[in-house]
Amino acid sequence: MSKKLFKTGAFSKQYGKNIGIPLLLTVLLLITITRGYAQTSNEISIVQGVFGDAVGLNQYVPGSTININITFNKNTSGTITALGLTCLLPAGWQYQGGTNQPPIAPTVGTISDGTNPLEFGWIFVPSFPFTLSMNISIPSSAQGPAQIQSQALYRLTGGQLYSNIETFNFTGEYTGTPEGAPEGTPEGVVEGTPEGTPEGTPEGVVEGTPEGTPEGTVEGETTNTVQGVVINSISRKPVAGVTVKISIADKQSTAPVVTDANGQFSWPNLGTLNPPYRLDFTKRKYKPKTVQPVNAGANILVELEPGNIQVPSKPRVYSGPRSVRIAWDTNPEYNIAGYNVYRRVVGSPVWERLNNPSAQPYEGYIAGLEYEDKTVQPSTYYQYAIQAVSDVSRYTALSPASEQAKGQFLTVFFPDDVAYKDPGLYLWEKDPQDPQQTRVRIPVNSKSVYDVSATSIQIDAELPADLLLDMDNMEVEPSGITVGMMISANAIYTGAGVYNVRIAAAGVEGGSLYGSGTLFNILAKPNLSLEDTRCAPLHLIPDDGAGNGVILYDVSNTGEINSQTKPLDLELEDGQLCVTGGCIHGDADNNKLVEAADAQYVLSYWVKKVPGNECIMKSGDINLDGLVDSADSSLIQRWLAGKDITPPKQKGLSKSYDEYLQDILWLADAGSLSAEAILAEMEKSDAAVNVQLSEALTGEPGTQKTISVLADNVANISGFAMVLNFDKDLAQVDSVELGPSASGLELVYNDDANSSGSLRISAAGEENLGTKGDGIELVNIQFTMIGNGGNAELVLAQVRINDIYAHVPMFNDPKAPKIISQEPTPEGEGTPEGTPEGVVEGTPEGTPEGTPEGVVEGTPEGTPEGAVEGEGEPPSNKVAVPDVVGKTEEEARSAITSAGLVVGKVTQEYSDKVPKGKVIRQAPTAGTQVDRGTAVDLVISKGAKRRFIVSCGSGTTSDSSHIADMLALGLVSGLLLLRWRKVTPFMNN
């Protein structure tokens, strides 16, 4: 590697501004490398592979493109501190980029001068082994012999070291069959019989069987050969397991062959089968391809195109005070490998990729259905889009753009319309026999509180006095999100036709909030005497800096609770209270009645069995989280049964930490997922909801198989929604039934699963499952294997759960369900059940006994055992998971991405041993060999648990209220500036 690589202005401009100390040290090490101290060694070795038209004949095709793969292997236990690569190309040959390109690489379009090599450098040394791939275009004017030469440069603790030199020599350009040669004559065979050739020898064939002629070939017999390489047309990687048939006049004339791990195929002796030939290439997940005519002696490069996949649906965005979180629904295909997330500033046409922006679309993708964008700027509006990627490198166009999200702002809002005379879920009948007990439920909501570790919340609002009565008897109930918080509220008539309502809520533990949707429910007595359809505003009062307005305090940044903590930046959205409205809350099917059919309609809407209607979002989204799903069905069912749709209030005020713990235990037993999550954080217990399939969907045609969806820790689940994708050409759904523990739920699934290959299931009930333990059967699905049978690659692609209070854990919520994937079948896609391990699907019948397991007959010696059908990537695609335990989150992210992996789910836990901000544990564990692009989940320490002793009074005036005690503790931080009059505070007691 030359000195100029590190002295260019381009490097300084690109990396100089943001370079950190570790990065700077690495660059300095590389600079030292370029200054000499050279010593040849073998701690690093490379293997160079060259692919392209006529490469197999050691020739190139002018005007074509070739692919160069450099695989790096580490042969020492020592630490490689710096790494680079030089690749010398013939003059005029042009670098066109590639895959797995390091941070320091030539500019795409660089043309070689034949003297100075292309130079590559790694800022952080990747995990070995790994492969660098380059695409090189050959000028149409190229002629004569040519050479490609590569060598790695590296450093351990001393000076610069060199790997072996890998050289590929071209004898010249490929020009086709020489002029005058008979059609089908192998290139290089001269027309005409040499003088002295025995009579009867075919013209053009030299007497004597050349060395290497296959055994059994009769001297003088024509030997027709065809060979080639199959590559993925997108990634340019070789494709293993492709079935190649050769025929004449559309009739198969010899046994098919299957490409090996390097994508190669060959017929070394077609005997008297005369050209021209037709070659047919087929492989699952790829589009079939026919190449004709093909002459004898041909060595062809075939580009196989991956099958199409659908563009993802529009993502949902959740804007919080520190980030924007993005979630999306799964694609319906069974072979989706992951997704990419793109962002643009509203008004700009330019989309930027957020996850691994320098990688190709089919590399460095996200394995899940969620992403957290921590790079948003305050007050900037963004839109997001999703791109799907298949496991054979096909990628889609971008999805429709999301709604706008404002950077670093938390939105608190009232519903657009709350109608209290409609017989819907806004009408809270405390006693149906006593109309005087009727209440209107006015929800106060948030778009997202996933970034909030709340110590205190103040909601300051104005409600219309002419539509509400007797506000002294107002009540405030928590939601599935705020369960466990202490709540106090009061209402004051201001004399201006409005009631001023103030809610104070405090989290004794300063614990994290998780969720989107309703935070609190204001229950007030409505004015039922009004007959018209009038509406009046529900107004949220902005923070005036003097303690009035909607204010949320948080300890996520400081880790401390004090009155000086800066409130979060908020956006407020008003709504209106109406006597009657156009869409009845809970009337999902829009027939003006709320009944059991509506709970069923909500489930059917989620599985796409019904199209919805103009009212569906206002009538079906009961918990106001922006989705109509099983959580809303559970609430409708509970409302119809006369059961509470808000969590119970705590039995009493917390007097000590132990008593607070008892209250949380009581709430968890009452069915709250949020309380269960709080409890798990406090006691560091396992509350994870792991969901998995009971087994793989494999078998011979006609085989019936029942696959169960199993889950752990589901006691507090009252509903779920899931998507399972499979190869519809190999299996079909016969029936879906609820498991024994979930038999009391309402179940719906889509009718078109066998035509779409995507089974959508949704179930909900009015009570939680109440079943404890691991491996609980949620559903049982019966399949029948069809077609050719084999492995239908059933995948559990998406799971959502909810409790009876419509809390839906997502993102970093400890109760967010985690899908445990089935171990991939090592034999490759579509391998029939019972096929010996390592045997590639499509191995020709009659492969000699003793052929190494997994190696197709004809596979070149040295091909790794177990090469499987699929993308055909060599074993070097595996990388070791780095050890990031004890590192900061930033350090861990850098190490993971540098290893060619992606950061998965990041959650937080309290720890008495691991300092705040550092990694407690990771999954997979360090040293595990995984595929590139695999997600590594992290658990980050929140530091030692803060424990408070709370003691509250019990007065009924502003001078002796619970609120005063909350103020004294600093939990509300001086939020409540009560007016001087006697009020009755209402508390969860």
Side-chain angles (χ1 to χ4, degrees), residues 494-526:
T494 65
V498 298
Y499 285 107
N500 179 219
V501 175
R502 187 168 291 191
I503 304 168
V508 176
E509 290 294 315
S512 298
L513 296 179
Y514 306 103
S516 172
T518 302
L519 296 176
F520 307 103
N521 290 283
I522 301 172
L523 305 180
K525 186 176 179 180

Side-chain angles (χ1 to χ4, degrees), residues 137-265:
S137 63
I138 305 172
S140 56
S141 60
Q143 58 183 352
Q147 184 183 81
I148 297 173
Q149 191 174 79
S150 299
Q151 185 177 33
L153 301 85
Y154 61 97
R155 180 179 178 181
L156 291 167
T157 56
Q160 177 170 308
L161 302 173
Y162 294 90
S163 75
N164 57 301
I165 297 175
E166 283 283 283
T167 302
F168 189 91
N169 291 300
F170 293 98
T171 59
E173 70 275 22
Y174 178 78
T175 57
T177 304
E179 186 177 349
E183 182 179 353
T185 302
E187 182 180 344
V189 177
V190 181
E191 181 183 11
T193 305
E195 185 176 354
T197 300
E199 184 178 346
T201 301
E203 182 176 353
V205 179
V206 179
E207 180 183 10
T209 304
E211 184 179 345
T213 301
E215 185 178 342
T217 302
V218 179
E219 181 178 340
E221 179 182 299
T222 300
T223 302
N224 292 328
T225 66
V226 172
Q227 61 182 321
V229 175
V230 180
I231 65 171
N232 183 306
S233 65
I234 296 174
S235 69
R236 315 297 297 176
K237 296 177 182 178
V239 184
V242 180
T243 299
V244 190
K245 296 181 180 179
I246 190 166
S247 60
I248 299 176
D250 297 330
K251 292 183 179 179
Q252 182 177 327
S253 51
T254 188
V257 298
V258 178
T259 57
D260 64 18
N262 296 311
Q264 297 175 342
F265 66 93

Side-chain angles (χ1 to χ4, degrees), residues 565-645:
T565 305
K566 182 183 177 182
L568 299 173
D569 291 326
L570 302 176
E571 289 229 315
L572 307 178
E573 295 180 2
D574 291 341
Q576 57 181 2
L577 180 64
C578 299
V579 178
T580 59
C583 298
I584 298 175
H585 200 51
D587 177 25
D589 60 9
N590 203 23
N591 69 348
K592 306 304 178 184
L593 293 173
V594 180
E595 52 194 349
D598 293 299
Q600 192 86 358
Y601 191 91
V602 166
L603 299 177
S604 297
Y605 178 75
W606 193 88
V607 303
K608 301 183 179 180
K609 197 170 183 177
V610 296
N613 51 63
E614 66 273 12
C615 277
I616 188 64
M617 292 311 298
K618 288 187 177 181
S619 62
D621 182 15
I622 311 302
N623 62 352
L624 298 171
D625 67 349
L627 284 173
V628 176
D629 57 12
S630 59
D632 303 302
S633 180
S634 287
L635 286 188
I636 293 173
Q637 292 182 54
R638 288 186 66 79
W639 185 85
L640 288 169
K643 299 178 179 179
D644 285 342
I645 61 175

Side-chain angles (χ1 to χ4, degrees), residues 236-399:
R236 315 297 297 176
K237 296 177 182 178
V239 184
V242 180
T243 299
V244 190
K245 296 181 180 179
I246 190 166
S247 60
I248 299 176
D250 297 330
K251 292 183 179 179
Q252 182 177 327
S253 51
T254 188
V257 298
V258 178
T259 57
D260 64 18
N262 296 311
Q264 297 175 342
F265 66 93
S266 68
W267 280 275
N269 183 7
L270 291 169
T272 58
L273 194 65
N274 294 318
Y277 306 114
R278 162 181 166 147
L279 299 185
D280 291 287
F281 300 82
T282 56
K283 177 173 170 59
R284 191 175 175 209
K285 305 180 185 179
Y286 287 83
K287 297 179 181 180
K289 185 168 186 175
T290 297
V291 177
Q292 63 179 353
V294 177
N295 291 325
N299 188 344
I300 62 176
L301 177 72
V302 179
E303 297 185 9
L304 211 56
E305 183 180 357
N308 293 329
I309 54 176
Q310 293 184 25
V311 173
S313 56
K314 181 173 73 173
R316 303 178 298 277
V317 290
Y318 302 84
S319 183
R322 294 178 184 85
S323 67
V324 173
R325 296 173 188 253
I326 307 99
W328 56 94
D329 290 329
T330 181
N331 261 46
E333 293 86 8
Y334 70 92
N335 65 323
I336 294 298
Y339 301 86
N340 295 314
V341 180
Y342 291 79
R343 181 186 72 186
R344 71 180 179 191
V345 175
V346 172
S348 170
V350 179
W351 290 97
E352 60 174 330
R353 180 178 168 185
L354 295 181
N355 58 297
N356 294 289
S358 61
Q360 295 291 336
Y362 47 83
E363 296 179 320
Y365 40 73
I366 298 167
L369 300 171
E370 299 172 344
Y371 185 82
E372 183 179 7
D373 180 11
K374 295 183 176 181
T375 64
V376 293
Q377 299 300 310
S379 303
T380 302
Y381 287 89
Y382 300 95
Q383 287 181 300
Y384 296 84
I386 307 300
Q387 179 183 62
V389 184
S390 77
D391 61 4
V392 287
S393 301
R394 168 67 71 187
Y395 53 91
T396 68
L398 299 189
S399 71

Side-chain angles (χ1 to χ4, degrees), residues 22 123-127 356 879-885 887-903 919 922 926 932 934 936 938:
I123 303 300
F124 296 100
V125 177
S127 298
N356 294 289
V879 297
V881 177
D883 185 359
V884 297
V885 172
K887 297 180 181 294
T888 66
E889 182 177 350
E890 183 179 355
E891 291 170 341
R893 286 178 177 274
S894 176
I896 289 168
T897 55
S898 296
L901 306 173
V902 297
V903 178
V919 178
Q922 64 183 84
R932 289 183 177 277
T934 297
V936 180
L938 301 175

Side-chain angles (χ1 to χ4, degrees), residues 822-845:
Q822 285 282 328
E823 288 297 320
T825 306
E827 295 74 46
E829 61 195 39
T831 306
E833 186 176 20
T835 302
E837 181 179 347
V839 177
V840 179
E841 178 187 10
T843 302
E845 184 178 345

Side-chain angles (χ1 to χ4, degrees), residues 428-434 437-439 475 477 523 644:
W428 188 278
E429 295 182 352
K430 301 293 285 187
D431 182 354
Q433 305 303 318
D434 182 3
Q437 292 298 311
T438 300
R439 296 288 186 269
E475 297 178 66
E477 303 274 5
L523 305 180
D644 285 342

